[in-house]
Amino acid sequence: MRHSLLPLLLSSSLLAPLAAHGQPIYKMTFLPSNTTPHAIDASGRIVGVGTDGRGFLWSRGTMTSLGTLGGNSSVAAAISPASQVTGFSDTKGGVSHAFMYSGSALRDLGTLNGRPTFGTAINAAGQVAGYALDRKGNDLAFLYSGGKMTAIGSLGSGVARATGINKTGAVVGVSFLRNFTAQRAFLYTQGVMKDLGTLGGPSSAAAAINERGEVAGMSFVNADIQHAFLYRGGAMIDIGSLGGASTEARALNNAGMVVGYSTRAGDVPGDSFAHAFLYRDGVMADLNDLVAKRGIWTVLDAVGINDAQQIAAYACTEYGDCRAGLLEQ
C-alpha cells in the first residue's frame, strides 16, 4: 500500500497601512509564458520548469534549458548559493533520476538501491537532499554527499521525504509517524531525525531551512485549519494567514523572512485562488499589495526569497496567462 505524504506545493488590503509597517514595495519582471518557478539563488537567478516541460535556469532575461538525462522531461527544483542546480529527469528508459547541474550538462546522481530518485534541495557544498521511491511507491528520504546517496530514515514509519538542506548538511522534510497515525515536519542532523511537532493539529511538514537552522513549513492548527510556521529557537511559531483556513510557507531567507501562499477570508475552496504572502518583522502581507503597477496580474504563490529580498513568484491573469516572475525592490 502506498502512503502519500502531504504535498508541498507546487484579499487585498490598502497599500498605505502595509507601508506603515515597513513592508517593501516590489517591481515585477516576468519570465516567458507558461514557466513555473521553484527556487531563487543569492543573485536572483531562478530555476523551474519551462514551456518545453524541461528544467530551466533564468538569469536576467536569459533562459537556459537544462535538457534531460535522455528522456523527455526534467524539473529544476533548487539552486544553491554556488549556483549549482538539482532536480530530477527522466532517463532514456523513462525512470526518474536526481541530477546536479553546474553550468554544463546534467550529472546523473543515480538511484537509491535501484529505485527512482528526485533531488529537491542543494547546498553550496554540493550536498543534495531528496527522496526515492520504494517498490510500493512510498517515499524514502535521502542525502547525497561525497558522491554517495544514503537513506536518512524516518520518524518510525519508513516513509519520509526530504525537502530542504543548509550549509551544515542539516536536512528538513516530512515523515509519517509509526503506524501512519500522522505526518510530521522533521529536522535531520548528525544522523538523528527530530520531530518538530505541530501548531496543535495532527500533522505538519517542513519546506525549507536557512543557514541559521530556522525552518519554514506548514502545520495543522486543528483538524481543518493549516497555517504556515517558522521554527526557531526550538519552537514552532504560527505566522498566521491572510484570513483563510489554508496557508503554506515555501521558503525563507537568513533574516527569517518567509514566503508562501494563503487563502483569504471568504475564499471558496476549489474556486478561489490563493494569494502569495511575505512574512517580515512579525507581519504577514499579501504580496499583491506590495507590487507596483501589477495591472491585471495576480501573484498566486511565492516559492523563494534570498537575502537581498528578491522573490521568485508565480502570477496569472484572469485570462489564463501564467508565468514565473522576479520581484525585487
Side-chain angles (χ1 to χ4, degrees):
M1 177 180 179
R2 179 176 180 177
H3 298 277
S4 298
L5 287 160
L6 288 167
L8 289 172
L9 301 174
L10 280 93
S11 113
S12 181
S13 52
L14 296 176
L15 186 59
L18 287 173
H21 284 290
Q23 297 288 4
I25 302 301
Y26 288 92
K27 63 179 181 180
M28 183 158 50
T29 300
F30 289 109
L31 277 64
S33 185
N34 297 318
T35 48
T36 302
H38 284 154
I40 189 170
D41 76 356
S43 300
R45 289 179 282 249
I46 293 174
V47 296
V49 179
T51 56
D52 59 357
R54 297 182 175 187
F56 70 78
L57 170 62
W58 178 89
S59 179
R60 295 297 171 184
T62 300
M63 178 79 75
T64 301
S65 177
L66 303 188
T68 74
L69 291 172
N72 294 322
S73 63
S74 62
V75 172
I79 183 167
S80 77
S83 297
Q84 300 163 301
V85 181
T86 193
F88 46 94
S89 170
D90 291 337
T91 62
K92 189 174 181 179
V95 178
S96 178
H97 283 201
F99 69 73
M100 185 185 300
Y101 174 88
S102 300
S104 54
L106 302 187
R107 178 158 65 91
D108 191 338
L109 300 187
T111 64
L112 184 64
N113 299 323
R115 304 301 301 165
T117 54
F118 304 81
T120 60
I122 185 169
N123 65 14
Q127 294 176 300
V128 173
Y131 65 98
L133 298 180
D134 68 14
R135 295 187 183 280
K136 295 181 180 180
N138 294 320
D139 295 342
L140 303 174
F142 72 72
L143 173 62
Y144 178 90
S145 182
K148 183 179 180 181
M149 188 177 290
T150 305
I152 62 173
S154 69
L155 293 173
S157 63
V159 179
R161 178 181 293 194
T163 57
I165 188 170
N166 70 5
K167 65 182 180 181
T168 68
V171 177
V172 296
V174 57
S175 171
F176 272 107
L177 300 179
R178 190 180 304 277
N179 298 322
F180 300 97
T181 54
Q183 299 173 40
R184 294 290 172 80
F186 72 74
L187 171 63
Y188 173 88
T189 56
Q190 299 179 338
V192 177
M193 185 175 288
K194 176 183 177 181
D195 182 344
L196 297 186
T198 75
L199 293 172
S203 294
S204 60
I209 181 170
N210 67 15
E211 309 298 15
R212 298 166 56 184
E214 297 170 328
V215 181
M218 82 83 185
S219 171
F220 281 89
V221 177
N222 55 40
D224 303 310
I225 297 173
Q226 68 174 57
H227 279 184
F229 72 75
L230 175 62
Y231 181 90
R232 61 161 47 134
M236 187 177 286
I237 303 166
D238 186 340
I239 64 173
S241 77
L242 295 176
S246 182
T247 309
E248 186 166 323
R250 309 271 260 145
L252 75 169
N253 66 11
N254 290 317
M257 299 176 191
V258 181
V259 294
Y261 68 87
S262 174
T263 56
R264 298 155 296 151
D267 278 359
V268 178
D271 186 34
S272 303
F273 291 101
H275 278 200
F277 73 77
L278 167 66
Y279 174 84
R280 177 177 182 266
D281 298 331
V283 176
M284 180 180 287
D286 188 329
L287 267 174
N288 290 279
D289 296 329
L290 305 180
V291 177
K293 300 179 180 180
R294 62 181 174 87
I296 61 174
W297 293 89
T298 301
V299 187
L300 303 180
D301 196 3
V303 300
I305 181 170
N306 62 21
D307 290 343
Q309 301 183 41
Q310 295 170 309
I311 296 171
Y314 183 71
C316 294
T317 71
E318 61 181 306
Y319 306 108
D321 185 358
C322 296
R323 59 184 70 194
L326 170 67
L327 304 185
E328 56 188 344
Q329 299 175 50

